[in-house]
Amino acid sequence: DTLWDLAIAEVEKRENPPDDDDDVKPGEVWEKSILFMGNKNGGKTTIILRCLEREESPKPTLALEYTFGRRARRHNTPKDVAHFWELGGGTSLVELIRIPVTVHNIRSFAVVLVLDLSKPNELWTTMESLLQVTRNHLNKILTKLEKTNPEVAAEIKQRMWNNLQRDHPDSALVDPFPIPLVIIGSKYDIFHEFDSEMRKIISKTLRFVSHYYGASLVFTSKSEALLLKARALINHLAFGYDKSKSVSVDPSKPLFIPAGLDSMSQIGPPPASDSDLGKMRANTPLELWKKVFEKTFPPKSFTDLQDTKDPAQDSQYAEYEVDVMRAQKNQ
């Protein structure tokens, strides 16, 4: 084949993607992509390295970083590929998500939101801004697909509801995320030392948010047992491994709730007194939970941009020849 033949075949493959990825034929390679985002220094890189079974020590992420993993499903079969994108800088560089998620790969994309449980005052702000920008971007892609490829758009919309059983009592109360979403609460070891009332409020709020968005929720820390649970969820998205069916909703233990296995009746009302709830003006349940949460943990007015150090001065990126030329130019 000439280069042109290959290019034409590639374009045709992109324009007419195969039917659902879940039934990949033997011998075919499946490709999935996952975008990791969340608090600065929240442990995203550590989780990715553990999923890929790499022993290296994590470095701070600059802007948007890419790595990949490969696994063979059976002996002597081609290896499946998972693309891991990681957004650094907390919420300051959120616009960069337009780069990895496109019309061509939205069907095979998933999002992992890593929230630092040891910083509850940043938790809601980080979650809200990252999920809002991501959702707006995904909605634009879906609008485009509705015009160019309505079958794929309909399939994505149908898949959003797949985690909820048909007769789930909360169908009218939730608003599933357009693509699979996993929320990871990191640094559970520090969170575990918090006052039990604080832990209860954070746990209940994250359960509500995860259920509202049709997401899976898992708490993790550096302990191997907890990392394994997070890995199981991510490996399901990345390589199609079996889903874990176990559930842990006990607030005194690390939470583990796969998508669709929680319910509003189990979560209960927002953790505030009836008189407080009566005073809070909120148009949606999500807004009400936000107000209750921020009453206990007032959001820090933190600007991510100000503490972004100049990477040119960072010793881990030192390159002698480049730095000498740069010093000369500055002079």
Side-chain angles (χ1 to χ4, degrees), residues 106-154:
I106 184 172
R107 293 169 84 217
S108 59
F109 231 98
V111 171
V112 174
L113 176 65
V114 181
L115 297 171
D116 186 338
L117 295 173
S118 68
K119 298 179 183 163
N121 300 73
E122 294 176 16
L123 201 138
W124 192 284
T125 325
T126 303
M127 174 185 71
E128 190 174 57
S129 53
L130 288 171
L131 290 183
Q132 254 170 7
V133 176
T134 309
R135 186 163 210 158
N136 292 345
H137 175 60
L138 294 169
N139 287 343
K140 278 182 197 156
I141 292 179
L142 282 172
T143 311
K144 209 171 180 181
L145 273 176
E146 277 167 354
K147 292 176 188 143
T148 56
N149 201 335
E151 293 86 16
V152 172

Side-chain angles (χ1 to χ4, degrees), residues 42-97:
K44 300 182 288 297
T45 311
T46 307
I47 292 167
I48 293 174
L49 291 174
R50 292 300 298 123
C51 285
L52 298 174
E53 292 171 9
R54 290 190 195 153
E55 292 302 322
E56 60 208 75
S57 51
K59 290 182 182 152
T61 303
L62 252 192
L64 186 66
E65 292 199 358
Y66 168 80
T67 184
F68 67 93
R70 303 176 70 188
R71 299 272 162 85
R73 252 168 300 170
R74 283 177 297 283
H75 192 54
N76 284 343
T77 57
K79 288 186 173 177
D80 295 328
V81 181
H83 307 282
F84 288 83
W85 294 87
E86 184 187 353
L87 180 71
T91 55
S92 61
L93 302 169
V94 69
E95 293 302 325
L96 289 178
I97 58 155

Side-chain angles (χ1 to χ4, degrees), residues 21 31-34 104-110 159 180 237:
D21 305 273
E31 282 190 48
K32 293 280 183 181
S33 304
I34 300 181
H104 301 303
N105 63 14
I106 184 172
R107 293 169 84 217
S108 59
F109 231 98
R159 224 192 271 178
L237 297 175

Side-chain angles (χ1 to χ4, degrees), residues 234-248:
I234 293 165
N235 280 335
H236 168 68
L237 297 175
F239 300 106
Y241 289 14
D242 288 344
K243 268 189 197 167
S244 171
K245 289 279 188 287
S246 72
V247 176
S248 165

Side-chain angles (χ1 to χ4, degrees), residues 111-115 163 177 179-185 206-207 209-219 229-230 232-234 236-237 243-244 246 255-262:
V111 171
V112 174
L113 176 65
V114 181
L115 297 171
N163 285 322
F177 209 66
I179 59 177
L181 173 65
V182 171
I183 296 177
I184 296 181
L206 284 178
R207 277 181 68 185
V209 169
S210 300
H211 184 55
Y212 181 78
Y213 285 123
S216 299
L217 175 65
V218 58
F219 282 2
K229 291 201 155 185
L233 281 176
I234 293 165
H236 168 68
L237 297 175
K243 268 189 197 167
S244 171
S246 72
L255 296 181
F256 181 80
I257 310 168
L261 297 185
D262 213 340

